[in-house]
Each structure stands twice: as structure tokens, then as C-alpha cells.
């Protein structure tokens, strides 16, 4: 299932830097919660490691983990880290999203 999710090298580098500062393993958890202006919103956290039902993707030694419930909503997605004049943020390119919001943190199916 690891091929269903992609963490870009830029995102992996940023996760590694954050994890290093917090003395945690370089494991980024992506989950989906109800809410946001489009119905669902992405949530990012550092994790100690994958859970039993997680899908795991590895990029440059950094793991992206997603639980089985969230995976249904983000399968095939790419997680990137982008910096612009508006700020810096993790961005999810989700092929399952039929609608999104201007901030890029919520989506609809």
C-alpha cells in the first residue's frame, strides 16, 4: 500500500528538520477529520511510529503514515511542503477531492 501515498523530498526534508528539533522520530501522520469549510480537513502530527492498521510510505528515511479510515479519503495523494509569500505549509494534492477551499487545508468528496 505504500505506493498509494507519496511524500515529496521537500516535505521529507521539512519533517526531518521538525522531528530533529523536537527529538522525535521522523514520522509524519496524516489524518482526515470532519470539519473545515469544505467538509473534511487534513491534520498533520509527528508520530512515534506506525500503528498496526497504518499505510506507510518512506521518502529519504522519513515515514508518512495514514490510518485505514483516512486512507480511503486520501489514497493516491501527494504530500508536499511549499513556501511562498503567503507562508510555508504542508500541502496535500488529493485526486479524490471534488472541492477544496482557498486555504488548502480542507476538501470535499
Amino acid at each position: 500500500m505504500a505506493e498509494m501515498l507519496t511524500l515529496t523530498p521537500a516535505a521529507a526534508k521539512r519533517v526531518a528538520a521538525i522531528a530533529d528539533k523536537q527529538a522525535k522520530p521522523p514520522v509524519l501522520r496524516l489524518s482526515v477529520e470532519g470539519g473545515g469549510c469544505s467538509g473534511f480537513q487534513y491534520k498533520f502530527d509527528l508520530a512515534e511510529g506506525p500503528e498496526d492498521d497504518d499505510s506507510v510510505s518512506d521518502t529519504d528515511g522519513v515515514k508518512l503514515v495514514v490510518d485505514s479510515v483516512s486512507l480511503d479519503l486520501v489514497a493516491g495523494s501527494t504530500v508536499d511542503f511549499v513556501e511562498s509569500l503567503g507562508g510555508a505549509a504542508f500541502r496535500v494534492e488529493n485526486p479524490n477531492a471534488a472541492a477544496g477551499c482557498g486555504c488548502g487545508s480542507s476538501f470535499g468528496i
Side-chain angles (χ1 to χ4, degrees):
M1 269 200 222
E3 69 278 3
M4 296 182 72
L5 297 167
T6 304
L7 186 65
T8 67
K13 182 178 178 182
R14 184 63 178 164
V15 171
I18 293 169
D20 187 52
K21 284 184 182 178
Q22 295 185 17
K24 292 189 174 188
V27 180
L28 180 67
R29 175 168 299 284
L30 168 61
S31 56
V32 176
E33 298 179 339
C37 49
S38 294
F40 295 102
Q41 60 189 2
Y42 302 112
K43 181 178 177 191
F44 295 99
D45 291 304
L46 287 180
E48 291 299 319
E51 300 291 329
D52 290 339
D53 71 333
D54 285 344
S55 176
V56 180
S57 174
D58 190 292
T59 302
D60 300 332
V62 176
K63 290 181 176 26
L64 172 63
V65 297
V66 179
D67 64 89
S68 60
V69 174
S70 297
L71 183 61
D72 288 340
L73 299 169
V74 296
S77 293
T78 298
V79 177
D80 195 8
F81 182 74
V82 294
E83 296 182 77
S84 67
L85 292 175
F90 288 101
R91 179 97 7 130
V92 179
E93 294 177 28
N94 186 346
N96 304 303
C101 67
C103 67
S105 64
S106 70
F107 66 101
I109 299 288

